[in-house]
Amino acid sequence: MTRKPSTSTAGNRRERPTLRTVAQACGLAVTTVSRALNNRSDIALATRQRVRQVADELGYVPDRAGRGLRTGRTHTLSLVLAPQGEITGYTASIISGLGEVCRDSGYELSATPDVPHREELSVVRSIVENQRADGIILSRTSPQDLRVRYLLENDFPFVTHGRTELATHHASVDFDNEAFAELAAMRLMQRGRRCLMLIGAPAGLTYQTHLLNGFSRVVTRNALQSIELDDAPNLETPLDDLRHTIRTLFSSGAYPDGIVCAGETASIAVLAGIRDAGLIPTVDVDVLAKQTSATLDHMLPAIDSCYEDIDKTGRRLGETLIHLLTGQTPPGELNTLIQPEPRFRQSAHADIAS
């Protein structure tokens, strides 16, 4: 006697929707539904939204493995993450923005840590040679970044969070750190500060060059003083060490009256070090920080900042890479420079410099 399949097994088989199931529910052709779910621009936005809604209601999940075998593509984007301890919530925010774009474009997002001190090309070479992704997002760039050279030479789609100084143009999304540092130094000068200090990125990273350019421009043009320590702290200095360095500096008697700090978490350690030395932030010295979360909105005393929207950056990185993968725009034309958003909480000095 033939044994009937159990109700639950048969039910599970019936409940698994396919692309054809979605097409029938929408009253559309399978190819139209496929293109709509892949967010193709030749399908009307209203249709794409309706198809996505029906697919979600039916619980449709694309068979990425089978599609990959047919197309030779993984439908995965790989985010190569370097340590970003100096940016509060960096990982969560950038993944949130990227994930939103991937979800709307039919891609999966994978995140791969780029462990310090490992051979520089090991991660990206593994992704490319093992065909683990269709495109790569790189963070933490250097002027002559070997990873970027490798990807260019292998004609592999990628976008960088940060810029390089390579002759060959490539897609990038970056925060305008030069504009931030210039704006911050000008603001401190307007607050009556005449001796400034920059706490920036480690030497060798492209955005440290940009920070120095903006900061130095204001100092030089306005005949301000600046303080540079022999063993200068940066955004990767452990917070306890940074706090100790600032406390020692401000206890010496020869200290700056204005600090530009390019990291939110670092600025909290700086403020603590100033207090440890018996001085009062916003009275004896001003600190202006780059802000990447809501943390500084709740600091007392309130300090001035410039905001960098990391979630927005993540979305733009994802959109840029999708443009590359669909061949819509040449890589050299896919460059975004995000401007700082001032969040000035202090009144300007009575004698504002001209």
Side-chain angles (χ1 to χ4, degrees):
M1 185 173 67
T2 305
R3 182 178 179 180
K4 292 182 179 180
S6 67
T7 303
S8 59
T9 302
N12 287 339
R13 288 174 180 169
R14 287 196 302 271
E15 288 170 6
R16 182 186 177 109
T18 65
L19 201 62
R20 187 173 299 279
T21 310
V22 179
Q24 290 173 344
C26 293
L28 297 170
V30 172
T31 53
T32 301
V33 168
S34 175
R35 296 175 75 82
L37 290 173
N38 283 298
N39 206 35
R40 298 296 294 265
S41 58
D42 58 338
I43 304 297
L45 177 60
T47 301
R48 280 180 274 162
Q49 292 173 337
R50 181 165 66 90
V51 170
R52 170 55 61 191
Q53 181 179 354
V54 171
D56 290 343
E57 290 172 352
L58 292 173
Y60 169 72
V61 178
D63 181 2
R64 298 186 186 281
R67 186 168 61 176
L69 290 173
R70 293 192 301 273
T71 64
R73 298 179 66 181
T74 66
H75 292 274
T76 298
L77 305 184
S78 182
L79 170 63
V80 178
L81 273 171
Q84 293 283 351
E86 75 276 8
I87 303 181
T88 302
Y90 174 89
T91 301
S93 295
I94 206 163
I95 286 177
S96 173
L98 276 167
E100 181 181 329
V101 173
C102 286
R103 182 181 64 249
D104 293 342
S105 304
Y107 283 85
E108 295 287 342
L109 177 66
S110 70
T112 304
D114 197 356
V115 181
H117 313 305
R118 185 160 56 179
E119 196 273 318
E120 188 171 359
L121 290 179
S122 61
V123 172
V124 295
R125 184 184 285 126
S126 174
I127 294 171
V128 172
E129 293 181 355
N130 293 294
Q131 299 180 332
R132 288 163 45 198
D134 295 332
I136 292 176
I137 303 102
L138 291 176
S139 64
R140 191 181 166 84
T141 57
S142 61
Q144 301 297 320
D145 203 298
L146 292 179
R147 302 168 304 168
V148 173
R149 287 179 181 272
Y150 172 83
L151 292 170
L152 287 169
E153 290 167 359
N154 285 273
D155 195 26
F156 194 88
F158 72 98
V159 58
T160 60
H161 182 201
R163 287 167 285 171
T164 68
E165 295 177 0
L166 296 170
T168 304
H169 293 296
H170 60 83
S172 67
V173 178
D174 199 9
F175 178 74
D176 196 339
N177 283 285
E178 187 166 336
F180 157 71
E182 183 171 5
L183 179 62
M186 284 294 296
R187 176 64 176 177
L188 291 173
M189 187 181 72
Q190 291 172 350
R191 289 272 295 159
R193 306 308 183 180
R194 291 294 179 271
C195 182
L196 307 184
M197 178 179 178
L198 171 67
I199 297 178
L205 295 182
T206 310
Y207 84 100
Q208 171 63 2
T209 301
H210 298 156
L211 288 167
L212 282 171
N213 288 344
F215 178 81
S216 300
R217 185 179 301 119
V218 175
V219 169
T220 301
R221 287 180 179 176
N222 296 279
L224 304 177
Q225 293 180 291
S226 65
I227 288 183
E228 296 181 21
L229 302 179
D230 291 336
D231 189 15
N234 60 60
L235 301 182
E236 293 188 3
T237 301
L239 296 181
D240 287 343
D241 294 345
L242 176 57
R243 181 172 179 171
H244 174 74
T245 297
I246 295 299
R247 179 175 67 245
T248 301
L249 173 62
F250 278 80
S251 298
S252 69
Y255 54 80
D257 57 8
I259 296 178
V260 175
C261 187
E264 184 174 70
T265 306
S267 71
I268 296 173
V270 169
L271 292 166
I274 292 169
R275 293 190 191 94
D276 291 344
L279 299 175
I280 303 174
T282 73
V283 176
D284 300 305
V285 56
D286 276 316
V287 177
L288 196 154
K290 183 198 291 186
Q291 179 175 352
T292 52
S293 77
T295 301
L296 294 185
D297 293 337
H298 307 285
M299 288 289 295
L300 292 175
I303 65 170
D304 288 341
S305 67
C306 289
Y307 181 63
E308 176 181 6
D309 189 338
I310 302 295
D311 188 82
K312 174 182 176 182
T313 297
R315 292 195 301 273
R316 186 56 185 155
L317 284 165
E319 292 163 356
T320 300
L321 190 50
I322 297 297
H323 279 304
L324 277 176
L325 291 170
T326 56
Q328 296 180 32
T329 314
E333 297 178 16
L334 290 170
N335 302 111
T336 301
L337 193 58
I338 298 173
Q339 295 303 306
E341 301 174 22
R343 293 190 175 180
F344 295 159
R345 303 172 176 90
Q346 303 292 317
S347 60
H349 191 273
D351 300 319
I352 297 178
S354 58

